[in-house]
Amino acid sequence: MTPTTMWTKIKTFFADSETIFWARLQMFAGILIEVASTIDPTLLAPVFGDYFPYFLIANGLLTEYLRRRREVDM
């Protein structure tokens, strides 16, 4: 399988949408974080402590950018 063919299959899976890709990546990361925090709740506390609000803002900005990137009339 060539890299071009593989990339075409990946784009087809996400319906040629960066926003759908980003949403599915967030779901996958959320599942992993939930499993990790269920196993050991103190594991991720230092990581998300002070920077979590900044992460939410950056995530919102990136999602909005990806959504508008596909729509020419917006």
Side-chain angles (χ1 to χ4, degrees):
M1 181 180 295
T2 64
T4 307
T5 307
M6 191 165 96
W7 180 243
T8 305
K9 288 184 180 184
I10 291 170
K11 285 186 354 183
T12 303
F13 179 73
F14 293 115
D16 289 327
S17 174
E18 294 89 356
T19 308
I20 293 173
F21 167 75
W22 185 245
R24 290 182 181 169
L25 182 65
Q26 287 177 334
M27 273 188 3
F28 181 70
I31 290 168
L32 291 179
I33 290 171
E34 181 62 32
V35 168
S37 66
T38 301
I39 293 171
D40 185 9
T42 61
L43 182 66
L44 297 173
V47 176
F48 290 119
D50 295 335
Y51 298 107
F52 192 66
Y54 301 116
F55 167 75
L56 289 178
I57 291 170
N59 184 32
L61 290 172
L62 182 61
T63 302
E64 183 67 18
Y65 167 75
L66 291 173
R67 187 186 66 79
R68 289 182 184 253
R69 183 171 179 240
R70 299 293 287 175
E71 295 294 328
V72 185
D73 60 345
M74 293 185 118

